[in-house]
Amino acid sequence: MFSIRLKKQTLKIIILTSFIWFAVDVLFMFSYLSCTGGNCTSEIQEGVKKEELVAKESVVVKRSDEKIGNYPMNKLKVWKKCDAVVKEGNLPGEMGAKVRTPSDMQELKKEKFKINQFNLLVSEMISVNRSLKDVRLAECKTKEYPTLLPTTSIVIVFHNEAWTTLLRTLHSIINRSPAGLVEEIILVDDASGAEHKHLREQLEDYVAKLPVLVKIFRTPERSGLIRARLIGAK
């Protein structure tokens, strides 16, 4: 008999406790949901207005101290998607196709391999503006981004880099990034050897003609990837 009473009391306590926690949860939810009758608080209205502002195609900036999120309005730009790089005939490497070393150039390939420890000969056969397949997932292709986005600076660190691979990296950024959003490309030469003469004046002359501002910084001695990145970030 005592055992039955104990079980009943325990069951009552469990049910009562459940109701108490349910009531606490309801009160907690209502403390955050202050919209009644379709009228929201001023904080929520302000957030909605900011989201609508981002979605507009054109924005008139009246004050430089206005912000969207953490970004001042004068640091945000309207952008548009880039056109795909068009395939150039049957040139080697177009659309990411495999490139084989010609049989009569095997010895030259071996000699060039010693410079950067990869098939430099094939790299020189591929255009710096080569086309590539769109290998993004379907979800990535249909993803929508805000009309207004902040600009960015891109830091590239290199050491004794091959000419063609460095240029291909630069052109890939320029060709596949919204023009207005790339503020600058910062190249950090981490003490490349004097024998790599193409990374000196030749590189400086080349980047000066690119449609994006490119800055080159050179370290007097090897600093490593992380330190070199920090130099570029400064």
Side-chain angles (χ1 to χ4, degrees):
M1 193 71 179
F2 176 77
S3 176
I4 295 174
R5 284 182 182 176
L6 181 62
K7 289 181 179 179
K8 287 183 178 180
Q9 292 295 332
T10 304
L11 183 60
K12 288 180 180 179
I13 293 173
I14 293 173
I15 294 174
L16 181 61
T17 304
S18 299
F19 275 114
I20 293 174
W21 279 113
F22 177 75
V24 171
D25 288 339
V26 171
L27 291 174
F28 184 78
M29 290 174 63
F30 275 106
S31 68
Y32 281 92
L33 299 176
S34 56
C35 292
T36 56
N39 296 320
C40 298
T41 61
S42 59
E43 291 83 5
I44 296 177
Q45 288 178 337
E46 184 179 354
V48 171
K49 288 180 180 179
K50 288 184 178 181
E51 290 295 328
E52 291 176 348
L53 185 61
V54 172
K56 291 182 179 179
E57 286 298 325
S58 59
V59 178
V60 178
V61 181
K62 296 181 179 180
R63 292 172 49 192
S64 60
D65 59 345
E66 291 179 348
K67 290 185 176 182
I68 291 182
N70 295 324
Y71 298 99
M73 290 290 292
N74 58 1
K75 294 293 184 181
L76 299 174
K77 290 188 177 182
V78 177
W79 64 281
K80 63 178 182 178
K81 294 181 180 179
C82 302
D83 296 328
V85 178
V86 180
K87 180 180 178 182
E88 297 185 25
N90 294 317
L91 293 179
E94 288 301 307
M95 300 303 291
K98 182 187 295 185
V99 180
R100 297 185 182 279
T101 306
S103 57
D104 60 339
M105 303 181 76
Q106 292 296 326
E107 290 302 319
L108 181 58
K109 182 191 80 170
K110 293 178 181 179
E111 287 300 316
K112 286 182 172 289
F113 186 88
K114 298 175 183 177
I115 301 174
N116 290 98
Q117 300 302 303
F118 71 93
N119 197 335
L120 185 56
L121 178 63
V122 161
S123 179
E124 292 172 348
M125 295 167 61
I126 301 172
S127 170
V128 295
N129 281 300
R130 71 167 172 176
S131 57
L132 292 170
K133 294 180 181 179
D134 191 344
V135 296
R136 294 176 298 166
L137 298 174
E139 292 82 0
C140 296
K141 295 179 181 179
T142 57
K143 184 175 177 62
E144 295 293 332
Y145 295 92
T147 304
L148 287 175
L149 287 175
T151 59
T152 187
S153 297
I154 300 173
V155 179
I156 300 173
V157 178
F158 64 90
H159 171 74
N160 294 344
E161 189 63 59
W163 177 250
T164 49
T165 52
L166 182 56
L167 296 192
R168 200 171 293 118
T169 299
L170 291 173
H171 283 283
S172 291
I173 293 170
I174 295 170
N175 293 337
R176 295 172 175 85
S177 303
L181 298 185
V182 180
E183 185 170 335
E184 60 185 355
I185 300 175
I186 299 172
L187 299 179
V188 182
D189 182 353
D190 191 14
S192 292
E195 67 276 14
H196 296 271
K197 297 179 181 179
H198 58 276
L199 298 176
R200 299 291 176 173
E201 187 176 347
Q202 184 178 348
L203 178 61
E204 293 170 1
D205 292 341
Y206 190 94
V207 299
K209 300 173 185 177
L210 295 176
V212 174
L213 175 63
V214 179
K215 300 177 181 178
I216 303 176
F217 295 92
R218 305 185 191 278
T219 61
E221 57 185 18
R222 286 301 303 275
S223 58
L225 177 61
I226 303 304
R227 289 192 181 92
R229 281 182 176 177
L230 292 175
I231 291 172
K234 291 179 181 179

